[in-house]
Each structure stands twice: as C-alpha cells, then as structure tokens.
Amino acid sequence: MLDEYTHQPRIAYFSMEIALRNEIPTYSGGLGVLAGDTLRSATDLDLPLVAVSLVSRAGYFRQEIDAHGRQVEHPAMWDPRDWARPLNAKIAVTIEGRAVWIGAWLYEHESHLGGRQPVLLLDTDLDENLAEDREITHYLYGGDDVYRFKQEIVLGVGGARLLRALDFEILQYHMNEGHSALLGLELLRRHEYPPENVRPGESPYDLPRVRELCNFTTHTPVEAGHDRFSYDLVQRVLNASIDLAAIKRLAGEDKLNMTRLALNLSEYVNGVAKRHAEVSNRMFPGYRVHAITNGVHPFTWTSEPFRKLYDHHLPSWCHEPEQLVRADCCLSEAVIQEAHQQAKLALIERVRARAGASLDPGLPILGFARRMTAYKRPDLLFTDLERLQAIARKHPFQIVLAGKAHPHDEGGKRLIEQLHALMRQLEGVVPIAFLPDYDMDNARALVAGADVWLNTPLRPYEASGTSGMKAAFNGVPSLSILDGWWIEGCIEGVTGWAIGNDTGADDGDAAALYDKLEQVVLPLYYDPDRGGWARVMKGAISKSASYFNSSRMMRRYAAEAYLR
Ligand SMILES: *Cc1c(COP(=O)(O)O)cnc(C)c1O
C-alpha cells in the first residue's frame, strides 16, 4: 500500500496538528492550517514529503455559543475510517514503564494539480493498550501536562519509529513547533557511537549528524506557547535510554524545554516572519533563527468566484502564484468587484443560517476572526464605544467576528462573553454578528466575504498571522497593527492600511485604529468613484497574494533548509 511512497527519500514533517480538510478536526488554528498548507504546496510542487501527526479522534472541539454569549465546547468526534486507511504496522514506545502500542492511519492528500502525498495519523486506540493509553491520541491539546507529554512521546518517538517500521527513507526531519522535539532523542539513540569509541566525559551521541538531519520552525514569542516539563514528570513518564544528564544539556537544566531541545537538535531553525525571527534571535541568544515568512495555499483559500477569475485570466496561478503580480493590469475593476460581491453574499447567507443575524450587502463588513486570546485583542475595536458609534453614524459599517478560545483559557472565554455583551450594547448602531465554530470552511467564507480584514494583536506577539494572506487571495485588504507578516506585506494605501507604527507604545493603538477607519478606510469605501477601492483590492492580490503563499514558502524551505 505504501510502495508508491517509500521508493524515494522523503522529508518527514512532524506536527501535533494538521488541517487536512474541514471534515477532519485534527487542528485548532493557525499552526495546523500552516501544516496543512505545507503539505498541500509540497504536493503541488512534487516535493516528496510524509506528514506525521496524531489521529485526534475527538478533535479539538466544536464551539457553540449559549444564550448568555458563552462558549460551550463539544467533542468533535470523527471516524478515521471515513477518510483514511489503517496501516498494518505497529510499534511500541515505553510510557510509565509499560509498552504503549502505536498504529497509524494513512490519509492521502491529492492535489488538484495531480500528485499525492501520505499523511500518517498516529493512533494508540488499540486493543493491546490499557484504557488510559488508548486515549492518548484522542484529544488535541486536551488534558494536563502528563497527558500532553505522553502525546509528545507518541508523536516524536512513536512517529520516528513508525516511519522506520514502514520502510520510509527520510532525507530530512522537520519539526513544526517544539511538540515533536522528542523525535530528536530517538535519532540520537540511532546515532550512538560504540562504547569502546567513547572516551570518558565525551558525548556518546553523534550530535552533529542528528543536527544535520533536523529542521525546526518556532511559531510564537508567547511564553505559554513553549512546552516545559518538570524532570520529575519526565523521569516518571519517559523511559529514555538516553541518560538524563545528556537530556538536560540539550533541553535545559531545571525543566525539559521542548523549544530548547528542538533548537539544540536542529541545524536549520526558522521563525515565521522577519520580525518574528529577530524576536526569536533575542529570545534564544546563541542560535541562528532564519526567516522564511509563512504563506497560504492558493487554491485552498481562494473563493470560487476568484478561482474562476484567475483560471480565466491567469491560468497557471495555482502552480505559480507569482503570476498574480499581473492581477493589477489584467483584471478589470468591474470583474473584481463582481467576484467579491458574490463572496460577500455567500458570507451573509452563512451568517444568516448559522448566527441568525442579517447583514446588509450594501454596507462594508469588517471581518475579525482569530483565536480568542488576550494578545490578539479582539476588544481593541471596542475600546471607546462613543467614538465607534460616532464613526458608524458618519460611515455605516458592520462587523463579523469569529474565534474559539482554548477550553483552559479563561481570559479568552471571557473575551467571547464580553464581545457578545458589546454586540447587544451596539445594536441598532453597529450591526455585529458572531459566527460560531471558526473552522476551515468558516474561515474561507469570512476572508473572502469581508470588505476589510482587521487584525489588532499586541506587538510583537503575532509571530506571522496568516488569515490576512488568505484575505489577499480574495482581493480583501487588511487593516492591521504592524506585526508579523504585515510589517512585510503592508504598503500603505496600496495593499491595505497600517494601524499605528511598529515602534511606539501600544496605548495609542485604539485611537490610531479609529483615525484610520474614520479618515481613510471608510471614506475610500464610500467614495462615489469606486475605482480607488478597487485599486486597493487589486493591490492586495498583485502585491500580497503573489508573495505570501505557501508555494514560495515551500520552495524556500526546499532550497534553504532541506537541501542545505
Ligand atoms: C488561517 C486560520 C487561522 C490562523 O489565522 P491567524 O491570522 O494566524 O490568526 C486560525 N484558524 C483558522 C480556522 C484558520 O483558517
């Protein structure tokens, strides 16, 4: 069944989450979407890759909003048999002193350009295992530290062993975030010198060889985004045939820091945008963090009306999204506006059906959808309600919001509740809808149907951000704080607009947002000469989408990381 894939060496791409398709809830947000887009573009480019992730049978969660505006979480069960095939290989890892068996499902991604790539979804729900071990691969980001550490053993150590058992020849390993860094310990074990060749006090492992094999992408400057495990826990759970002293040298003396482990085991380390690489270089002195800026998969994130438009005018846009640089010359304002209006009506219909809210196709829509957590500041737009209402009376607009909060993020959940209270408060002046259950399909509708894509993170915590890139593929300009990709993507008034600058204090951000909305963005939208607005839509396509795509990203990973 795997011959088709094992006859040539591959890049092994490890990720705790991966967004394969809307029906498979094995992702929580940006990290998983990026993993999916990585796989999709590698397939378009015929770059041989094998993705390794967990089967996450209970998914992340499905979000419902109750009558009080509070998030309710439901398991998002899926049946791997509907989308994948069981592989008849099994390996074991030792967890808490007992063998935990790991099998896998094969999901095959097919590119609409032709070509296929394998994804291995690791599964511990096997008869051989104790009930508690069968659940290790059930809940994405569920449970406590111990549960998370077990998942990381399954992903890193289990994934590496399974690839070997299945006869994959691996050219390079790529860790998407530190969750899979234990794979490096497995590789060290494979590259151990015979004891008679090791002099006392020297490392018994061929660390340089392992580093040659490994690449690591770090994704966030937020402290909580970097897993740390106490060595008590590590000793209890992990049966490392690697001695603790060696692990501590690589992963930190007081706690096992997965980011540090990945940094020390990888020759090539990447941040996800230029600014993020600079910030990471400061966070991790002594390491060199490169900057291949993220991108999004062209076909996946382009709405049907724009796909048709590009197919007609720029037929090779999917294989070579650089072609989109020509969009500003070869697409007329009328066809762009017509395609956008179709996408906008589709969003309005979705919001009506799923949120029971009616929006007006004649008014501009500000779209804001992202993980609901403090640094993303979904409440920045609502800092001064008087001012917001005054702007809306002058230049009417409406807002669509969406986003999940992690079940343990109390602050994030409170934000969702607060947003719902604000929606009621602003009723009649600023129509606002909250589209529940932000997932791939809702994201696709939102980034295409909004007129302006809003992003207001607290600098420098937005490592890259990718939803604004998706918007650009649909001719939707961004209005954003200068952080992450937008520092590279923003050409003021051409691809969208900046809120404030990228150096000063944050306390002026709300005022800067109101000023820009009131004095620049909304007046341009309402300008009787619609040409000005259409030019910005074209700018988003020709200058942002042509560059911030995962095709460019994967060519760079191939040239600069995998084949270095
Ligand atoms: C693209 C996407 C994200 C990430 O978007 P950001 O701009 O990085 O916040 C998160 N969730 C879903 C469902 C997405 O499609």
Side-chain angles (χ1 to χ4, degrees):
M1 185 150 64
L2 283 171
D3 292 354
E4 175 187 349
Y5 301 119
T6 51
H7 75 275
Q8 72 183 130
R10 288 181 176 266
I11 309 299
Y13 183 80
F14 281 64
S15 184
M16 183 66 102
E17 54 172 306
I18 185 163
L20 298 167
R21 56 191 307 139
N22 202 62
E23 298 88 340
I24 303 184
T26 53
Y27 64 97
S28 82
L31 184 70
V33 170
L34 182 84
D37 285 354
T38 295
L39 169 76
R40 287 181 274 272
S41 277
T43 313
D44 293 348
L45 296 167
D46 272 328
L47 178 69
L49 187 136
V50 50
V52 180
S53 190
L54 303 186
V55 71
S56 301
R57 283 168 186 264
Y60 183 47
F61 67 89
R62 189 171 57 74
Q63 180 195 54
E64 192 197 338
I65 304 292
D66 74 10
H68 307 288
R70 283 194 286 251
Q71 168 173 297
V72 181
E73 297 123 23
H74 301 282
M77 298 301 300
W78 72 290
D79 189 341
R81 283 173 303 188
D82 294 341
W83 297 102
R85 290 183 288 164
L87 290 171
N88 55 18
K90 252 184 302 213
I91 51 92
V93 295
T94 308
I95 291 179
E96 291 173 344
R98 62 184 177 273
V100 171
W101 287 91
I102 304 170
W105 297 83
L106 173 69
Y107 174 85
E108 292 172 280
H109 168 68
E110 291 186 34
S111 163
H112 72 291
L113 302 174
R116 278 201 283 207
Q117 306 260 29
V119 180
L120 305 181
L121 298 170
L122 307 176
D123 191 359
T124 60
D125 195 350
L126 306 176
D127 292 337
E128 295 86 332
N129 290 332
L130 294 180
E132 70 167 292
D133 295 336
R134 293 177 68 153
E135 288 199 354
I136 293 175
T137 53
H138 276 17
Y139 304 95
L140 178 61
Y141 304 134
D144 57 6
D145 267 18
V146 177
Y147 184 76
R148 170 74 78 100
F149 191 58
K150 290 177 182 175
Q151 289 190 321
E152 297 191 0
I153 296 172
V154 169
L155 178 63
V157 180
R161 288 189 189 165
L162 199 76
L163 285 172
R164 176 173 265 191
L166 292 169
D167 264 342
F168 277 97
E169 184 190 339
I170 303 305
L171 197 63
Q172 287 280 306
Y173 294 84
H174 188 164
M175 306 172 219
N176 187 41
E177 202 38 290
H179 307 129
S180 53
L182 298 176
L183 107 82
L185 298 184
E186 176 67 12
L187 297 180
L188 284 177
R189 194 153 35 205
R190 288 183 195 171
H191 294 86
E192 192 168 357
Y193 300 120
E196 61 274 19
N197 293 0
V198 182
R199 270 176 293 191
E202 275 188 355
S203 163
Y205 307 107
D206 188 353
L207 183 60
R209 175 65 193 131
V210 171
R211 285 175 52 88
E212 258 171 36
L213 286 169
C214 291
N215 305 274
F216 168 49
T217 300
T218 176
H219 285 266
T220 178
V222 178
E223 273 304 310
H226 301 265
D227 285 338
R228 288 176 181 77
F229 299 102
S230 79
Y231 281 113
D232 268 0
L233 186 161
V234 172
Q235 274 184 296
R236 210 167 58 238
V237 178
L238 179 75
N239 170 302
S241 32
I242 293 191
D243 64 274
L244 203 60
I247 297 181
K248 286 185 172 178
R249 269 198 300 279
L250 295 166
E253 281 300 322
D254 33 313
K255 286 201 163 191
L256 191 159
N257 178 329
M258 295 295 283
T259 302
R260 191 139 311 259
L261 183 60
L263 285 167
N264 281 324
L265 290 168
S266 304
E267 185 74 44
Y268 188 92
V269 177
N270 194 55
V272 288
K274 288 191 171 71
R275 176 61 54 86
H276 177 234
E278 289 162 21
V279 171
S280 302
N281 273 311
R282 282 198 295 275
M283 278 176 85
F284 314 118
Y287 300 90
R288 170 140 187 244
V289 181
H290 297 79
I292 298 175
T293 300
N294 278 348
V296 298
H297 186 245
F299 185 76
T300 301
W301 298 108
T302 302
S303 60
E304 197 56 41
F306 276 92
R307 283 180 186 171
K308 281 205 192 108
L309 204 59
Y310 301 154
D311 281 345
H312 185 254
H313 294 278
L314 301 159
S316 57
W317 69 283
C318 276
H319 185 73
E320 195 182 30
E322 292 88 337
Q323 291 287 335
L324 295 172
V325 297
R326 312 175 74 84
D328 52 354
C329 306
C330 75
L331 302 178
S332 74
E333 289 161 13
V335 295
I336 286 192
Q337 271 162 343
E338 167 56 28
H340 175 68
Q341 200 60 20
Q342 282 181 42
K344 186 167 175 176
L345 291 175
L347 173 63
I348 289 174
E349 171 51 25
R350 181 173 282 259
V351 168
R352 192 200 56 72
R354 300 179 181 225
S358 55
L359 298 173
D360 180 347
L363 299 184
I365 296 178
L366 301 191
F368 182 100
R370 39 193 44 84
R371 201 150 47 81
M372 288 292 163
T373 192
Y375 85 84
K376 299 266 194 182
R377 297 194 297 184
D379 49 351
L380 189 79
L381 180 61
F382 305 102
T383 307
D384 179 349
L385 295 184
E386 292 296 316
R387 178 97 200 261
L388 188 69
Q389 295 180 82
I391 298 172
R393 288 199 184 92
K394 226 176 354 178
H395 315 286
F397 61 90
Q398 46 201 348
I399 302 170
V400 183
L401 304 167
K404 296 177 180 177
H406 186 280
H408 296 166
D409 182 357
E410 291 306 326
K413 295 212 257 195
R414 228 173 4 254
L415 279 168
I416 292 177
E417 217 178 319
Q418 283 162 4
L419 290 176
H420 281 82
L422 288 162
M423 284 159 60
R424 286 190 294 272
Q425 224 175 317
L426 290 165
E427 220 170 274
V429 188
V430 188
I432 308 176
F434 189 100
L435 185 61
D437 205 31
Y438 186 38
D439 60 8
M440 284 181 89
D441 277 0
N442 285 330
R444 222 187 320 262
L446 280 158
V447 296
D451 292 287
V452 177
W453 195 249
L454 184 67
N455 192 17
T456 53
L458 184 64
R459 288 175 291 117
Y461 295 114
E462 183 83 318
S464 164
T466 51
S467 56
M469 304 174 184
K470 301 169 192 166
F473 269 92
N474 296 284
V476 173
S478 284
L479 168 60
S480 170
I481 295 282
L482 282 170
D483 199 12
W485 81 283
W486 195 233
I487 296 172
E488 296 159 61
C490 179
I491 308 173
E492 184 69 17
V494 175
T495 58
W497 306 271
I499 301 168
N501 55 45
D502 69 335
T503 48
D506 314 307
D507 49 10
D509 286 352
L513 167 57
Y514 294 134
D515 289 347
K516 197 56 71 78
L517 255 185
E518 181 176 43
Q519 290 151 27
V520 180
V521 179
L522 293 169
L524 185 67
Y525 186 88
Y526 281 112
D527 190 335
D529 170 14
R530 300 289 287 145
W533 189 264
R535 274 192 292 283
V536 184
M537 296 182 72
K538 286 186 185 186
I541 301 167
S542 63
K543 294 198 164 51
S544 289
S546 65
Y547 183 83
F548 295 98
N549 55 73
S550 47
S551 169
R552 170 202 44 88
M553 177 182 83
M554 290 316 289
R555 284 176 213 224
R556 284 197 61 191
Y557 270 114
E560 295 166 44
Y562 306 151
L563 301 177
R564 82 187 109 81

